[in-house]
Amino acid sequence: LRTIMNANVIALTELNLSHDQNSVAVAFGVDEYSAPNQVRFLYYLDGYDQDWHKATNDLDANYPNLPPGNYTLRVKAYLENNEQSAIEKTLSIKIRQPWYNTMAAWFLYFIVAFILAYFGYRIYAERKRQEQLLRDAREEENLKEAKLRMFTSIAHELRSPLTLIVS
């Protein structure tokens, strides 16, 4: 677990993180010196949470292993029993996709798959063509042998009576 930023982020409105920096912990507090024990916090992560969460005594929000995407952390601070006086602060959080899940990577995967399919088809078609040529050559050889047998048989049939006549 790495700490990306450990600083006061009052003016920070956006946080861009890579896919392997997907665990976010944000601690919060207010400058309320008259009644610090009466300050309460609610937080909500748009795009992830279903409901608002009340901050515990730790005064932080932890989100381990967030999937890539765009989120908005909303934090409300209010005095106890006076939720209408809440002050809200937002922080946009963007967790980028890993390089192998970007549009460019998917386009490259498609091109590679297309090239592999194309060459696979070419190899398949060439094998079929070679098999057909081999069948044609065998058929032609069988035809030649059949003609040779037929001519040999005819020649033998013609020679047998001629040998009898000559003898």
Side-chain angles (χ1 to χ4, degrees):
L1 184 64
R2 293 188 326 225
T3 301
I4 303 301
M5 184 181 301
N6 191 6
N8 190 349
V9 291
I10 291 174
L12 185 67
T13 59
E14 188 174 317
L15 189 60
N16 286 311
L17 303 171
S18 67
H19 72 282
D20 60 344
Q21 299 169 332
N22 61 348
S23 292
V24 177
V26 178
F28 31 82
V30 294
D31 295 335
E32 174 58 53
Y33 302 111
S34 61
N37 292 337
Q38 292 182 353
V39 177
R40 301 292 178 253
F41 293 94
L42 294 172
Y43 63 92
Y44 176 78
L45 187 62
D46 279 338
Y48 189 76
D49 284 334
Q50 301 295 323
D51 295 315
W52 286 86
H53 301 282
K54 287 189 177 188
T56 61
N57 293 339
D58 296 336
L59 298 180
D60 64 358
N62 289 305
Y63 292 98
N65 299 320
L66 287 172
N70 296 318
Y71 305 97
T72 302
L73 179 63
R74 298 169 58 192
V75 179
K76 288 183 182 179
Y78 62 94
L79 289 174
E80 190 174 44
N81 300 326
N82 191 5
E83 210 171 310
Q84 288 74 26
S85 67
I87 298 170
E88 185 173 327
K89 174 80 174 154
T90 62
L91 173 64
S92 294
I93 301 170
K94 178 178 183 176
I95 299 176
R96 293 185 300 274
Q97 294 283 342
W99 65 268
Y100 50 83
N101 197 20
T102 60
M103 288 298 288
W106 282 105
F107 181 72
L108 181 65
Y109 301 153
F110 175 75
I111 295 298
V112 168
F114 178 77
I115 289 171
L116 289 174
Y118 173 75
F119 282 113
Y121 174 75
R122 291 284 309 260
I123 290 170
Y124 172 77
E126 181 62 25
R127 282 187 181 165
K128 287 295 185 185
R129 190 181 73 79
Q130 290 293 333
E131 288 173 2
Q132 185 62 40
L133 287 174
L134 187 59
R135 278 195 298 271
D136 291 347
R138 284 184 186 150
E139 194 174 301
E140 192 174 318
E141 185 66 32
N142 289 342
L143 186 61
K144 282 182 186 177
E145 287 179 18
K147 284 181 184 178
L148 183 62
R149 278 194 304 267
M150 184 183 77
F151 287 130
T152 304
S153 179
I154 290 173
H156 179 59
E157 293 298 323
L158 287 176
R159 243 175 71 198
S160 292
L162 285 175
T163 0
L164 289 174
I165 295 174
V166 170
S167 307

